[in-house]
Amino acid sequence: MAAKFGRSVVFPAGSLTGSSLYGGLSLARPALAARLASGSGSPLPEMPPCDFKPRAYEGYSYDKTKQLRKEHLNPGMTLTFYSRPVLIHQGYMQWLFDHEGKRYLDLFAGIVTVSVGHCHPKVTARAQDQLSRLWHTTNIYMHPNVHEYAEKLTARLPGNLKVVYFTNSGSEANDLALLMARLYTGAFDIVSLRNSFHGGSPYVLGLTGISAFKFPFPCSFGMQQVDCPDVFRGPWGGANCRDSLGQTPRNCDCSEGQCVAADKYAQHARETIVGSCPGKMAAFIYEPLQGSAGVVQPPRTYFKQMFEVVRERGGLCISDEVQSGFGRLGTHFWGFEAHGVVPDIVTMAKGMGNGIPMGAVITTPEVAETMGRAVHFNTFGGNPVACAIGSAVLDVIDEDRLQENSRKVGEVFMKELIKLREEFEVVGDVRGKGLMIGVEMVKNKSTKEPLPVGDLLEKFKDHGVLVGKGANGSSFRFSPPLCFTEEDVAFAVGAFRKVLLERN
């Protein structure tokens, strides 16, 4: 039986109405919507109901777990946003439960990874069935899952993007995409954007344009970066630049169908590439929305112009869909589709496995052929369990209409966040599409001086909402599982308002 989280409701006449949803989540909450509509925002809204009951926690104590974390986990694995980290015990759909049974609304989805919902019943059942049959083999042999999933996944892509190489992560996928591009073009130089994040492996760290992720060793041979087309903080941008309900307050005098900001950013990138790269380049890699940077969104026509610049110099275009793919943006299944372009290589991970480690590189037969020039294999890529789960995720996205849900609920969420921007001086920018939304905080709107959000994240957590943070330290990231509902929006926005009022 398919879950019904794809059904959406509206705010009619200041109330929320709707039928009961899968898992016991009722949308009949008129008082909750009325509080939002009134703008009082003082009391914390009541958390939406959930019939799911987590098991009793039987693991190590909180203090023991924290001690073990400090003693045995590498510092690279102990990042936390909180002075007192949450000890997560169980998850269900858009909810997480800690060791004491406290319920949290998950607005970060394991860093934009849980797509269809924590422990979605259909995906869980498919995984359990496959685990009882076969866990692992090797691509030296044939197994039906990898071939069936490859057919189903590549059918989601346009043109001749029909050949897939399965990996275990987004870093690994981007690493492999660079190798393919360099082999195919015979060129070496790769161009990325400042503020980008393409992974943590040594190879792709050179492409990542965020200093917080950098280590002090050489990792950028043959890698160039061009300015981030940020219409909020960059030198150019107007009030109609983005393909989003969230626009900047900057003036815009562009004529219809024109975007001066996109033209200027693309021209600046062209000049950088001409000055920094030899006559031929290997590739340009980009995120349709820069997730780790705080969901930075470029002007509408920027990527079309960049594709022209890159292809003039013999390079391939690589769309990093690790965070933006699988229907998260609502209007399109892939982020690149929203920009009206077709890349030569597409990389993906995170949401494709709903939390299971898996990634992929999809390209044309001509580019894929380069991998046959030497022996190259991946031990776990395309294993039976991962492919069974990936296939179930695609089914659930369709059956629960989660892409449409992301569009509808995302629009409601954006509109409510824009109201907060108009109400509070410290809410500087609201941007994004679907259920990939960024909110940048400032000390005041005139100077745009960044406002660190660390203390606010703590307050969110205390109110039962888990939120992400951009690498700049002053942005919130709202990227919940795609089963997020409009009632969840009301609770999240009410909690956000309370956090802002408490700050004042």
Side-chain angles (χ1 to χ4, degrees):
M1 175 179 170
K4 300 177 183 176
F5 285 91
R7 296 183 181 176
S8 180
V9 296
V10 295
F11 289 114
S15 67
L16 282 170
T17 60
S19 60
S20 177
L21 295 180
Y22 188 91
L25 292 176
S26 170
L27 291 184
R29 309 287 293 172
L32 184 57
R35 278 202 294 272
L36 265 181
S38 70
S40 65
S42 180
L44 180 68
E46 186 178 347
M47 182 176 283
C50 177
D51 289 345
F52 178 79
K53 302 297 182 185
R55 300 173 186 173
Y57 178 68
E58 298 178 349
Y60 285 132
S61 70
Y62 182 91
D63 290 339
K64 175 69 172 177
T65 303
K66 193 172 181 180
Q67 177 187 349
L68 293 173
R69 178 183 178 93
K70 181 178 180 180
E71 292 178 356
H72 297 296
L73 294 188
N74 186 288
M77 296 183 67
T78 59
L79 170 70
T80 181
F81 294 157
Y82 311 114
S83 59
R84 181 176 170 82
V86 185
L87 176 53
I88 296 299
H89 163 48
Q90 200 164 350
Y92 182 76
M93 303 309 283
Q94 65 268 52
W95 304 103
L96 289 170
F97 302 84
D98 71 12
H99 66 296
E100 295 177 332
K102 180 177 178 179
R103 179 160 57 105
Y104 298 88
L105 182 60
D106 184 7
L107 266 68
F108 203 24
I111 314 183
V112 204
T113 299
V114 178
S115 50
V116 301
H118 294 281
C119 300
H120 189 289
K122 183 165 185 176
V123 179
T124 300
R126 191 81 64 87
Q128 290 172 336
D129 178 69
Q130 185 58 47
L131 284 168
S132 69
R133 297 169 184 265
L134 180 69
W135 288 29
H136 179 73
T137 177
T138 166
N139 287 322
I140 293 174
Y141 317 122
M142 291 198 296
H143 185 276
N145 286 13
V146 66
H147 303 90
E148 293 168 6
Y149 181 48
E151 180 184 42
K152 184 185 291 189
L153 181 61
T154 56
R156 305 276 180 151
L157 287 127
N160 208 25
L161 293 166
K162 298 302 177 190
V163 182
V164 59
Y165 191 121
F166 289 112
T167 66
N168 306 294
S169 70
S171 295
E172 196 177 323
N174 285 331
D175 195 293
L176 184 60
L178 302 191
L179 176 62
M180 289 186 187
R182 283 171 165 165
L183 288 172
Y184 180 78
T185 62
F188 192 70
D189 282 63
I190 310 281
V191 172
S192 64
L193 299 176
R194 291 174 184 167
N195 268 13
S196 63
F197 180 77
H198 296 289
S201 67
Y203 203 26
V204 295
L205 269 180
L207 299 173
T208 293
I210 301 173
S211 62
F213 298 108
K214 297 282 194 175
F215 290 95
F217 67 86
C219 60
S220 302
F221 297 120
M223 297 179 182
Q224 315 293 338
Q225 290 179 351
V226 298
D227 278 350
C228 170
D230 182 352
V231 299
F232 178 67
R233 289 203 171 274
W236 306 294
N240 298 298
C241 284
R242 296 173 179 149
D243 177 23
S244 172
L245 292 174
Q247 301 288 349
T248 73
R250 303 169 79 165
N251 293 329
C252 181
D253 54 5
C254 296
S255 59
E256 186 174 353
Q258 180 193 33
C259 182
V260 171
D263 296 344
K264 289 184 175 180
Y265 282 116
Q267 179 59 30
H268 191 268
R270 180 190 294 273
E271 293 170 359
T272 301
I273 290 171
V274 169
S276 302
C277 297
K280 188 177 183 180
M281 60 183 290
F284 166 58
I285 185 169
Y286 70 97
E287 303 163 272
L289 279 80
Q290 292 184 327
S292 296
V295 194
V296 174
Q297 192 171 12
R300 297 172 193 269
T301 61
Y302 174 75
F303 286 127
K304 276 189 175 181
Q305 296 186 59
M306 283 299 295
F307 273 44
E308 293 174 3
V309 171
V310 172
R311 286 170 172 165
E312 284 172 3
R313 302 180 71 81
L316 302 184
C317 296
I318 304 170
S319 187
D320 180 344
E321 300 282 345
V322 169
Q323 297 189 42
S324 58
F326 294 89
R328 177 161 291 279
L329 301 190
T331 57
H332 300 84
F333 198 81
W334 305 108
F336 67 79
E337 294 174 307
H339 296 280
V341 296
V342 178
D344 304 289
I345 302 175
V346 181
T347 60
M348 61 199 70
K350 288 186 179 284
M352 73 183 293
N354 201 48
I356 286 293
M358 62 187 309
V361 182
I362 297 181
T363 188
T364 65
E366 294 77 16
V367 175
E369 180 276 333
T370 60
M371 297 305 296
R373 299 178 189 176
V375 176
H376 194 283
F377 71 97
N378 188 301
T379 299
F380 298 107
N383 78 81
V385 175
C387 287
I389 290 171
S391 181
V393 167
L394 293 180
D395 291 343
V396 168
I397 290 173
D398 290 343
E399 293 167 7
D400 293 2
R401 300 181 63 190
L402 292 183
Q403 181 180 333
E404 176 66 7
N405 187 68
S406 183
R407 183 188 68 81
K408 289 182 177 179
V409 177
E411 287 180 359
V412 174
F413 202 2
M414 285 284 292
K415 289 175 181 177
E416 295 298 327
L417 291 170
I418 289 169
K419 291 177 184 177
L420 292 184
R421 185 190 66 189
E422 301 307 313
E423 181 180 351
F424 292 94
E425 177 70 12
V426 294
V427 181
D429 192 31
V430 177
R431 58 206 179 215
K433 287 194 68 174
L435 289 174
M436 188 170 180
I437 298 172
V439 175
E440 187 156 348
M441 305 295 289
V442 296
K443 292 184 178 179
N444 64 74
K445 287 184 170 71
S446 59
T447 66
K448 297 183 183 178
E449 182 180 352
L451 175 68
V453 299
D455 291 343
L456 304 182
L457 284 167
E458 291 274 6
K459 291 183 180 295
F460 260 118
K461 181 200 70 171
D462 293 342
H463 295 323
V465 181
L466 302 180
V467 178
K469 180 176 69 170
N472 60 7
S474 59
S475 296
F476 291 117
R477 297 171 64 188
F478 299 112
S479 297
L482 304 186
C483 54
F484 201 62
T485 71
E486 290 185 17
E487 189 178 35
D488 299 331
V489 169
F491 176 68
V493 172
F496 196 178
R497 176 178 281 110
K498 184 169 178 61
V499 165
L500 293 171
L501 289 171
E502 289 173 342
R503 178 186 177 274
N504 293 334

